[in-house]
Amino acid sequence: MGEKVYVLGAGSTKYGKLSESIIEIALNASKDAIDSAGITPKDVKAGYISNVFGVADKQVHMAPVIMSNLGIPEVPGLTIESACGSGSVMFREAFANVSAGFYDCVLALGVEKVTHTSTVESTTLFSYCSDFFYEGGNGASFPGLFGSMARAYLATYKATEEDLARVAVKNHENGLLNPKAHVRKKITVDDVLKSPVVASPLKLYDCCPFSDGASAVILCNEEFAKKSGKPYIEIVGSGRGASPASVQSRKDITTIPSTVEAARQAYKMANLSPKDIDFVEVHDCFTIAELIDIEDLGFFPKGTAAQAVREGRTKLNSDITVNPSGGLKSKGHPIGATGVGQVVEVYEQFTNKAGDRTVKDAEIAMTHNFGATGASAAVHIFKKIK
């Protein structure tokens, strides 16, 4: 472990259907993060950008374009893709470079714009993130793959479709408290169960929306943070894991190995355990994912997450607050931005900017973000600076 690394500032656009170009969205979030940190673009020594579908906006090699538009064309930028986990994988690279002493201050930005494409085009683009030879190319979409995981989970453990629905209801309750969430709508278990079937047992309200949006944070070393005079939070744990790319290659499809390994690394680095975490932002692309996530991260024994949700133990200010932002399900899922948006939520929670969704007395938080069906994952742990 090298130098300590801090999140000094954070910014985010609203998530949803946005009219601005992908570069404009990126610049809006970047400017908010830079202003939040009390710095200028000239203080940024490198830019890390996470994006998956820039080709849909006719813009790949995006990082230099963003750096140039920020007025710092001489600052090196790097664009990173890791499917839906791009934001957290990119964040880890930014963290590692500051920790290694290469830079004292960097911009970590995630951005996506996909709602302007047709459903057929966007679904096709998404399918390229799976193992296309085995999955996407044979018609196995992500709803279908997660539907298979859900069916296996319901068949193996004491869980029901109502339990899946309760995950959606809880995340929508939190999303109502988030002014930047994509789907701010109160729903009931009955609403979820009566919504159209997408890939049985998953219904429409079990699935997160396609979203546009951007989120950005400023990472820096200790000297830079202390000089700033602005509030900051510490990154105390970081981990990355991998799983077989195709679901059919896994021994057990009710767990995601990449999550388990990334969490193990992050806990070890932070010298903490699941019981130390006050709240967690997890990758709930589908309701089944949240149940699997909170078991794989160690918050509940295998097969018991559904009962925990049933008992309200994952609600705001309960045993372990899960997705206070509303999660992907309600806050939205702008693919490249999602993992960074989770960090923005932690920063806002720890700097008294979360409003009505504040997790009381929280001091330690975790973010968890994976790509595709969990082929790649990253987990980070954060500590509030008192």
Side-chain angles (χ1 to χ4, degrees):
M1 183 69 181
E3 293 189 52
K4 290 183 177 181
V5 184
Y6 301 87
V7 180
L8 179 61
S12 189
T13 66
K14 190 179 187 309
Y15 285 6
K17 188 173 177 61
L18 305 181
S19 58
E20 300 97 328
S21 74
I22 193 166
I23 299 301
E24 288 174 313
I25 294 168
L27 293 172
N28 287 340
S30 299
K31 182 179 183 301
D32 285 351
I34 288 167
D35 289 349
S36 165
I39 63 173
T40 71
K42 297 290 184 187
D43 293 308
V44 174
K45 299 301 186 293
Y48 293 85
I49 317 299
S50 50
N51 175 261
V52 185
F53 300 130
V55 67
D57 244 75
K58 302 180 178 65
Q59 185 60 69
V60 293
H61 201 202
M62 192 176 292
V65 178
I66 291 169
M67 296 294 102
S68 295
N69 276 280
L70 284 171
I72 44 175
E74 71 286 353
V75 172
L78 173 66
T79 309
I80 292 175
E81 178 277 320
S82 196
C84 310
S86 298
S88 61
V89 170
M90 175 277 291
F91 182 82
R92 179 173 156 94
E93 294 304 309
F95 161 79
N97 274 270
V98 175
S99 179
F102 288 121
Y103 307 110
D104 63 357
C105 176
V106 303
L107 168 71
L109 162 75
V111 62
E112 209 69 62
K113 184 172 168 65
V114 74
T115 66
H116 59 302
T117 63
S118 68
T119 300
V120 171
E121 184 181 353
S122 55
T123 304
T124 300
L125 286 170
F126 264 75
S127 73
Y128 296 163
C129 295
S130 66
D131 184 337
F132 195 77
F133 182 81
Y134 288 109
E135 296 175 331
N138 290 304
S141 65
F142 283 120
L145 294 167
F146 279 94
S148 297
M149 294 162 74
R151 183 59 68 200
Y153 189 97
L154 298 188
T156 306
Y157 303 109
K158 292 180 179 177
T160 66
E161 293 180 30
E162 285 83 358
D163 293 324
L164 296 175
R166 288 185 182 97
V167 172
V169 170
K170 182 265 297 177
N171 287 346
H172 276 252
E173 286 174 355
N174 294 346
L176 280 168
L177 305 176
N178 187 348
K180 292 188 176 177
H182 184 169
V183 185
R184 300 182 73 199
K185 177 181 181 179
K186 186 175 178 62
I187 59 172
T188 64
V189 168
D190 207 39
D191 290 333
V192 180
L193 296 176
K194 288 183 176 177
S195 63
V197 174
V198 175
S200 181
L202 302 177
K203 327 285 191 305
L204 181 65
Y205 281 176
D206 285 300
C207 311
C208 73
F210 289 158
S211 309
D212 303 330
S215 293
V217 291
I218 300 296
L219 275 65
C220 66
N221 62 19
E222 189 167 22
E223 183 183 359
F224 193 98
K226 287 183 174 177
K227 277 184 184 174
S228 72
K230 292 284 186 175
Y232 50 87
I233 65 175
E234 185 179 355
I235 307 161
V236 294
S238 176
R240 274 209 66 195
S243 305
S246 61
V247 170
Q248 53 105 26
S249 301
R250 302 176 195 173
K251 293 177 183 176
D252 179 0
I253 65 171
T254 68
T255 184
I256 296 175
S258 59
T259 297
V260 176
E261 175 57 20
R264 184 194 68 77
Q265 293 174 18
Y267 285 130
K268 183 179 179 181
M269 181 184 289
N271 194 27
L272 296 170
S273 70
K275 64 177 172 40
D276 298 309
I277 308 297
D278 296 310
F279 73 89
V280 59
E281 285 280 312
V282 304
H283 194 88
D284 61 317
C285 47
F286 299 90
T287 50
I288 182 59
E290 181 165 320
L291 294 184
I292 291 172
D293 295 342
I294 58 179
E295 292 174 355
D296 288 344
L297 293 168
F299 298 115
F300 301 99
K302 193 66 202 159
T304 67
Q307 182 180 344
V309 170
R310 209 177 302 146
E311 294 171 354
R313 295 170 62 195
T314 61
K315 288 189 171 186
L316 196 63
N317 291 308
S318 60
D319 290 8
I320 172 72
T321 300
V322 179
N323 284 334
S325 71
L328 285 63
K329 179 68 197 71
S330 175
K331 182 185 180 184
H333 185 27
I335 330 313
T338 293
V340 191
Q342 294 176 329
V343 180
V344 173
E345 177 68 16
V346 174
Y347 180 84
E348 291 186 347
Q349 289 280 350
F350 283 172
T351 55
N352 303 313
K353 294 175 182 173
D356 292 338
R357 66 182 191 281
T358 296
V359 181
K360 292 172 187 161
D361 303 319
E363 294 183 0
I364 304 289
M366 171 182 277
T367 61
H368 159 261
N369 180 216
F370 64 66
T373 50
S376 57
V379 169
H380 290 90
I381 301 175
F382 303 83
K383 181 180 179 182
K384 183 176 183 176
I385 304 295
K386 296 178 184 178

